[in-house]
Amino acid sequence: MAAQERERRIQGIHRLALRVPDLPAAQRFYRDVWLLSDQGRDGAFEAFRSSAEDHDDVLLVEGPSQIAHLAFAVASPDDLDAITSRLEAAGFSFKRIADEAMFRADAAAAVALDPDGREVWLVVPRPGTVTAVDALPLAPHRIGHIVLWTPAQEAAERFYTLLGFAITDRTNAGMSFLRCNADHHSLALMKSTKGKTGLQHIAFDVGSLDNVMRNFARLRGLEVECAWGVGRHGPGNNVFSYYTDPAGNYIEYYGEMELFDADAPVETRIWGPEHKGDVWGLAGVPPLGFRE
């Protein structure tokens, strides 16, 4: 791929839209426990914002627990044209979103289905679409990465590399880590032997080990059980703690993610069976639903 083509890539996660079976419970959790800013309604969805974002990055709507769509930011309309042309040339169809059907954080958008049938939005953002608020000190800064189950890992990797992702690391457990900016990964794919295609987890960046630990103490004070952690991952080197939201989704607070030069190639590393998910050896075994 030519250097100019490599620049025509997605910039990172724009938002995650989730269907949840108990919308009021999910709203309370993401506002009062997870400390996202409640931005009211955007169409049929309830909108929330992480503290460092200038747009809604979590959307919730009533329904069976699943991803409604996953949206990635694209720098310009020209980049959007280039990426959708790559998809089309590779046999993936897409459709442009009409102005009246877009969310308030979107200036232009196209949507495609990945090989597992998930709706993937490519969005040229419309900045400054939320009310400025004083963020709470321990509020998450942003969605840093999303991990998806896939029974067809090679096909999923092929699709997401067309968007501009590159493989950073792989693990013996069947996980591939994909980067599109300076972060070690913004997306990861977890191979499922049981046909699962849903959300494996959402990860929110809180910046530092101290903030992971302070949030761990805060949630413990709220009697919110930690599902896994605290520990430090090998791939990405980030400190982590995992919880579940009322819909049963695994969600992570993390800090200190490994960073790279966004435009420099990185040789893919392989993590063998000796890697158990936590290089400190403190977190214990991850929950069953998280790993199979």
Side-chain angles (χ1 to χ4, degrees):
M1 193 180 290
Q4 185 174 2
E5 288 182 303
R6 282 201 301 273
E7 295 168 3
R8 304 287 193 182
R9 63 176 182 241
I10 60 167
Q11 304 295 296
I13 295 167
H14 185 58
R15 66 170 170 263
L16 180 64
L18 295 172
R19 300 188 190 281
V20 294
D22 186 341
L23 182 57
Q27 288 177 270
R28 288 191 298 271
F29 178 88
Y30 280 100
R31 181 189 63 231
D32 301 336
V33 175
W34 211 246
L35 302 183
L36 300 185
S37 173
D38 189 337
Q39 296 295 309
R41 291 182 70 85
D42 188 357
F45 289 79
E46 299 294 335
F48 293 84
R49 176 175 65 90
S50 299
S51 65
E53 297 287 24
D54 65 352
H55 63 276
D56 310 324
D57 58 345
V58 173
L59 300 180
L60 304 175
V61 70
E62 191 97 19
S65 185
Q66 62 184 7
I67 296 173
H69 71 262
L70 168 60
F72 296 106
V74 179
S76 70
D78 286 345
D79 283 7
L80 181 60
D81 289 342
I83 294 169
T84 52
S85 294
R86 281 205 303 265
L87 287 172
E88 191 170 39
F92 293 97
S93 61
F94 69 92
K95 66 177 181 180
R96 294 284 181 161
I97 302 299
D99 289 350
E100 62 272 16
M102 284 191 290
F103 292 88
R104 62 190 175 210
D106 306 350
V111 62
L113 297 181
D114 76 4
D116 295 318
R118 283 176 288 254
E119 248 188 45
V120 177
W121 287 51
L122 307 173
V123 175
V124 180
R126 186 191 309 277
T129 57
V130 297
T131 304
V133 294
D134 293 328
L136 297 170
L138 294 180
H141 303 168
R142 63 189 175 113
I143 299 176
H145 58 273
I146 292 169
V147 183
L148 304 173
W149 288 105
T150 177
Q153 195 162 25
E154 288 185 10
E157 286 181 4
R158 177 171 172 264
F159 174 86
Y160 286 102
T161 55
L162 289 168
L163 306 187
F165 280 103
I167 309 294
T168 314
D169 285 2
R170 297 183 189 277
T171 71
N172 181 72
M175 202 167 188
S176 50
F177 296 83
L178 291 78
R179 61 187 287 258
C180 62
N181 49 39
D183 287 346
H184 174 276
H185 59 284
S186 298
L187 178 72
L189 300 168
M190 184 69 180
K191 185 172 179 60
S192 171
T193 60
K194 298 184 176 181
K196 292 166 72 171
T197 59
L199 181 68
Q200 203 255 11
H201 77 266
I202 326 163
F204 291 81
D205 184 5
V206 293
S208 66
L209 183 155
D210 279 356
N211 283 348
V212 171
M213 295 306 296
R214 290 185 178 112
N215 272 306
F216 178 84
R218 180 179 63 82
L219 266 64
R220 184 174 61 183
L222 294 173
E223 298 184 346
V224 177
E225 183 180 356
C226 182
W228 189 37
V230 175
R232 186 182 285 277
H233 286 312
N237 194 48
N238 48 301
V239 181
F240 66 85
S241 60
Y242 290 87
Y243 302 85
T244 56
D245 73 5
N249 298 306
Y250 287 101
I251 50 177
E252 176 188 4
Y253 276 143
Y254 80 88
E256 302 184 357
M257 173 72 75
E258 184 177 6
L259 300 176
F260 300 95
D261 179 337
D263 296 313
V266 174
E267 184 176 351
T268 301
R269 295 172 294 188
I270 307 297
W271 295 76
E274 72 282 356
H275 173 62
K276 305 300 182 185
D278 171 25
V279 297
W280 289 341
L282 296 174
V285 178
L288 192 61
F290 187 83
R291 53 191 164 91
E292 68 174 36

